[in-house]
């Protein structure tokens, strides 16, 4: 077992790139690629060919292009959409859609595998990524147990989880957030999502007159989510 700080530091984006750069052929096998806002990338054909690590931005990840949106989650800096513990071919069609302009590292998979065998023999990076994915899937599991209103509130909780407050008792929501995206993440209609946000504005919890939206009173928001039995990750 490892301490969380040690675990997180070793598997951080900066450290992974640092480890890969120890190999003199890094520049021949690793390149940054920009995915424009709204663009969708299918990943099935890239499995065991390329490996990806998000440098900046945010994307929606869906386990399968043909599945419902209920199984999607957000991925951002440091996430690795094709990191798996085995090498057999994929039997599904994972897909990513950029919510903002996103930059990721596109790495030749054999090179990545070779470097990790040398630099990470205990598979800390793999285990760390599996743990992050487990948390995202657990969040989806919890969400599916909730009512429509609870799902909207829970999605807001997820979006601010682990974020640093902009100022005392104020939390900034992501720039990309809008009614459509929040409704999609909450698996409910845009009209119903709008009604919930209107209620939050009336309670002086939410300010959404301009981007980014903000939770203007974190204490009141947490009291509300506690009273409505919204789980915390």
């Amino acid at each position: 077992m490892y301490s969380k700080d040690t675990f997180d530091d070793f598997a951080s984006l900066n450290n992974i790139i640092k480890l890969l750069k120890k190999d003199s052929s890094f520049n021949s096998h690793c390149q940054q690629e920009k995915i424009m806002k709204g663009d969708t990338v299918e990943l099935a054909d890239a499995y065991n060919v390329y490996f990806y690590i998000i440098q900046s931005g945010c994307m929606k990840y869906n386990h399968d292009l043909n599945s419902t949106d209920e199984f999607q989650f957000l991925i951002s800096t440091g996430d690795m959409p094709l990191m798996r513990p085995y090498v057999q071919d994929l039997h599904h069609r994972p897909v990513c859609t950029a919510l903002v302009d996103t930059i990721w590292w596109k790495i030749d998979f054999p090179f990545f595998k070779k470097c990790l065998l040398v630099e990470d023999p205990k598979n800390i990076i793999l285990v760390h990524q599996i743990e992050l994915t487990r948390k995202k899937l657990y969040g989806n599991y919890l969400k599916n147990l909730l009512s429509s209103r609870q799902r909207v509130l829970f999605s807001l909780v997820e979006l601010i989880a682990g974020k640093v407050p902009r100022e005392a008792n104020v939390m900034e929501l992501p720039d990309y957030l809008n009614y459509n995206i929040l409704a999609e993440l909450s698996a409910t209609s845009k009209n119903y999502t709008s009604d919930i946000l209107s209620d939050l504005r009336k309670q002086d919890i939410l300010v959404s007159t301009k981007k980014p939206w903000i939770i203007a009173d974190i204490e009141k928001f947490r009291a509300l989510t506690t009273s409505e039995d919204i789980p915390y990750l």
Side-chain angles (χ1 to χ4, degrees), residues 156-157 160 167-173 197 200 204-207 212-222:
L156 291 173
V157 169
I160 64 174
E167 55 189 84
N169 207 34
V170 175
M171 187 70 75
E172 197 171 277
L173 290 160
L197 296 182
L200 295 180
D204 296 322
I205 291 174
L206 176 72
V207 176
W213 296 355
I214 63 170
I215 302 294
D217 193 325
I218 290 293
E219 291 183 3
K220 187 182 288 187
F221 178 66
R222 287 175 177 162

Side-chain angles (χ1 to χ4, degrees), residues 145-223:
L145 301 177
L146 304 176
S147 68
S148 296
R149 176 180 171 85
Q150 287 176 316
R151 289 199 300 273
V152 174
L153 295 174
F154 181 74
S155 294
L156 291 173
V157 169
E158 286 187 301
L159 288 166
I160 64 174
K163 301 293 190 298
V164 178
R166 190 173 77 174
E167 55 189 84
N169 207 34
V170 175
M171 187 70 75
E172 197 171 277
L173 290 160
D175 282 338
Y176 59 77
L177 189 63
N178 57 36
Y179 291 99
N180 287 329
I181 291 174
L182 185 58
E184 188 176 337
L185 293 175
S186 307
T188 190
S189 71
K190 179 182 176 182
N191 287 340
Y192 187 74
T193 300
S194 178
D195 289 342
I196 304 303
L197 296 182
S198 177
D199 178 54
L200 295 180
R201 286 193 295 271
K202 289 176 182 177
Q203 297 185 60
D204 296 322
I205 291 174
L206 176 72
V207 176
S208 57
T209 52
K210 61 180 181 179
K211 293 294 186 73
W213 296 355
I214 63 170
I215 302 294
D217 193 325
I218 290 293
E219 291 183 3
K220 187 182 288 187
F221 178 66
R222 287 175 177 162

Side-chain angles (χ1 to χ4, degrees), residues 61-75:
Y61 173 86
N62 195 309
H63 184 67
D64 195 295
L65 181 64
N66 298 316
S67 69
T68 67
D69 290 336
E70 293 175 359
F71 299 101
Q72 70 182 3
F73 48 80
L74 301 180
I75 55 176

Side-chain angles (χ1 to χ4, degrees), residues 85-99:
Y86 45 84
V87 297
Q88 281 76 11
D89 289 339
L90 296 177
H91 299 294
H92 55 276
R93 298 173 64 188
V95 61
C96 294
T97 301
L99 296 177

Side-chain angles (χ1 to χ4, degrees), residues 1-214:
M1 294 294 183
Y2 305 91
S3 71
K4 186 177 184 305
D5 288 343
T6 300
F7 201 50
D8 290 346
D9 288 346
F10 188 86
S12 68
L13 170 67
N14 287 341
N15 192 57
I16 290 172
I17 298 302
K18 178 181 176 181
L19 295 178
L20 296 178
K21 284 184 174 179
K22 288 185 177 182
D23 192 298
S24 59
S25 62
F26 172 84
N27 289 329
S28 300
H29 296 284
C30 305
Q31 60 179 317
Q32 288 186 320
E33 188 173 73
K34 186 173 185 178
I35 312 300
M36 302 300 293
K37 177 182 177 180
D39 286 353
T40 295
V41 182
E42 289 191 52
L43 298 175
D45 291 342
Y47 185 56
N48 288 339
V49 179
Y50 297 110
F51 180 78
Y52 300 94
I53 307 175
I54 297 181
Q55 174 75 39
S56 63
C58 183
M59 309 177 91
K60 292 184 300 181
Y61 173 86
N62 195 309
H63 184 67
D64 195 295
L65 181 64
N66 298 316
S67 69
T68 67
D69 290 336
E70 293 175 359
F71 299 101
Q72 70 182 3
F73 48 80
L74 301 180
I75 55 176
S76 55
T77 301
D79 282 321
M80 310 170 197
L82 282 182
M83 187 66 153
R84 295 161 60 89
Y86 45 84
V87 297
Q88 281 76 11
D89 289 339
L90 296 177
H91 299 294
H92 55 276
R93 298 173 64 188
V95 61
C96 294
T97 301
L99 296 177
V100 296
D101 291 351
T102 298
I103 296 174
W104 63 17
W105 283 97
K106 182 178 180 180
I107 303 166
D108 292 338
F109 180 74
F111 170 79
F112 181 78
K113 182 178 178 180
K114 180 190 74 171
C115 290
L116 258 60
L117 287 173
V118 175
E119 303 294 344
D120 184 23
K122 295 182 179 180
N123 287 320
I124 294 174
I125 293 171
L126 173 62
V127 174
H128 184 267
Q129 193 62 29
I130 290 174
E131 173 63 11
L132 291 180
T133 302
R134 183 197 66 80
K135 289 181 179 178
K136 295 176 190 293
L137 293 175
Y138 180 59
N140 281 1
Y141 163 75
L142 290 176
K143 194 181 297 182
N144 287 334
L145 301 177
L146 304 176
S147 68
S148 296
R149 176 180 171 85
Q150 287 176 316
R151 289 199 300 273
V152 174
L153 295 174
F154 181 74
S155 294
L156 291 173
V157 169
E158 286 187 301
L159 288 166
I160 64 174
K163 301 293 190 298
V164 178
R166 190 173 77 174
E167 55 189 84
N169 207 34
V170 175
M171 187 70 75
E172 197 171 277
L173 290 160
D175 282 338
Y176 59 77
L177 189 63
N178 57 36
Y179 291 99
N180 287 329
I181 291 174
L182 185 58
E184 188 176 337
L185 293 175
S186 307
T188 190
S189 71
K190 179 182 176 182
N191 287 340
Y192 187 74
T193 300
S194 178
D195 289 342
I196 304 303
L197 296 182
S198 177
D199 178 54
L200 295 180
R201 286 193 295 271
K202 289 176 182 177
Q203 297 185 60
D204 296 322
I205 291 174
L206 176 72
V207 176
S208 57
T209 52
K210 61 180 181 179
K211 293 294 186 73
W213 296 355
I214 63 170

